[in-house]
Amino acid sequence: MKFIKVKTYEELSKIAADIIADQIKEKPDCILGLATGSTPIGTYKELIKKNKNGELDFSHVTSFNLDEYIGLDGEHDQSYRYFMNNQLFNHVNIDKSKTSVPSGCTDDPEKEGAEYDKRIAEAGGIDLQLLGIGNNGHIGFNEPDSYFTGPTHLVKLEPSTIEANARFFETIDDVPKQAITMGMASIMQAKKILLVASGKGKKEITEKAVYGNIDPKVPASILQVHHDVTVIYSEE
Ligand code: F6R
């Protein structure tokens, strides 16, 4: 595991965008695994700059997002599909039909999850997976548990996650209580993984994930057994 510590969020965003850009340049039709949340916003801004100045072409890229809230469709301004369109897809030359976010409006999350995993496998698997980390150590919406869950599946969000994400909703009661998330199997099968964490509030949990015991109570700690992980942490 490569652990890069930088001072500013700007540095983090630039380094992360360079790593993603290198992946796209090396394999223009690569499969990217993408994340939402506050942390990757700066990375997406840097990628947009690279696309606008002609340095980076997204036209052959395929992407799969980690997760979606149950009950929110893509038009909802707090859905992760909406976030991705706004923060990245609408501003680069990616073919939106090649971008996927699990459906939060399914009657059958198990079937949706199995189909999502099948589509990732049929596309050839994820070349580079971008991750954030929750205050409780979650990756995707894989919350602390007594075991690591494999496939894309339905999860009940922890009170601490609902609280953390309430900042984006009018009231905490508006935050969905469930989500559909890629499981550890889909994440761990990615050829490369890039985790970004920023701010003092994420320091302890990020260090625990990188240096602590491998423990499903700290879901990100499983990344220690992956062969190609880069973690970028910025103090700011
Ligand atoms: C988002 C996701 C989550 C976030 C995590 C950190 O798709 O899967 O695991 O990466 O909750 O969120 P921020 O970056 O907002 O602190």
Side-chain angles (χ1 to χ4, degrees):
M1 203 184 250
K2 211 166 154 196
F3 193 13
I4 304 172
K5 285 189 189 170
V6 294
K7 276 232 143 48
T8 66
Y9 176 68
E10 200 187 340
E11 281 176 88
L12 172 148
S13 303
K14 286 205 162 114
I15 298 171
D18 283 347
I19 293 173
I20 297 170
D22 285 348
Q23 172 65 65
I24 298 173
K25 286 175 196 167
E26 188 189 310
K27 188 178 172 196
D29 60 348
C30 65
I31 316 293
L32 296 180
L34 297 175
T36 58
S38 308
T39 320
I41 291 177
T43 305
Y44 293 150
K45 285 208 169 98
E46 292 298 325
L47 288 172
I48 293 166
K49 270 193 221 160
K50 287 178 191 290
N51 181 247
K52 295 243 182 288
N53 72 18
E55 190 195 322
L56 198 59
D57 176 19
F58 281 81
S59 63
H60 302 290
V61 170
T62 296
S63 73
F64 289 91
N65 259 79
L66 283 166
D67 41 20
E68 181 60 280
Y69 288 118
I70 290 292
L72 303 195
D73 67 29
E75 301 296 313
H76 191 289
D77 64 1
Q78 289 309 326
S79 74
Y80 286 169
R81 159 54 75 182
Y82 190 94
F83 174 100
M84 287 311 299
N85 287 348
N86 263 308
Q87 299 296 339
L88 183 66
F89 300 151
N90 287 348
H91 311 288
V92 295
N93 68 331
I94 199 162
D95 174 354
K96 273 217 200 118
S97 69
K98 290 191 192 151
T99 67
S100 295
V101 179
S103 170
C105 289
T106 170
D107 295 336
D108 191 345
E110 206 175 309
K111 188 165 163 239
E112 166 69 17
E115 278 168 8
Y116 200 70
D117 289 339
K118 193 164 163 244
R119 285 205 286 124
I120 295 174
E122 280 169 1
I126 291 169
D127 292 297
L128 175 62
Q129 175 68 55
L130 177 64
L131 297 174
I133 182 170
N135 296 326
N136 60 6
H138 73 210
I139 48 177
F141 272 137
N142 293 282
E143 301 285 45
D145 210 331
S146 43
Y147 56 90
F148 291 110
T149 316
T152 298
H153 62 289
L154 179 74
V155 283
K156 192 168 164 269
L157 299 177
E158 286 255 303
S160 68
T161 299
I162 293 173
E163 213 172 288
N165 290 2
R167 66 194 196 274
F168 301 115
F169 292 82
E170 243 165 65
T171 73
I172 193 162
D173 294 332
D174 295 327
V175 185
K177 310 289 176 286
Q178 290 181 308
I180 180 165
T181 182
M182 266 190 210
M184 294 304 187
S186 333
I187 294 172
M188 292 298 280
Q189 277 165 27
K191 293 167 193 111
K192 286 181 220 154
I193 294 177
L194 171 60
L195 185 146
V196 287
S198 96
K200 292 204 167 59
K202 292 281 173 74
K203 186 168 190 276
E204 199 182 323
I205 193 68
T206 306
E207 287 180 348
K208 225 176 181 180
V210 174
Y211 300 120
N213 292 335
I214 298 169
D215 180 348
K217 296 263 179 292
V218 183
S221 64
I222 200 173
L223 300 176
Q224 290 178 34
V225 299
H226 191 280
H227 64 282
D228 192 342
V229 180
T230 302
V231 176
I232 314 176
Y233 169 75
S234 76
E235 262 171 32
E236 213 179 48

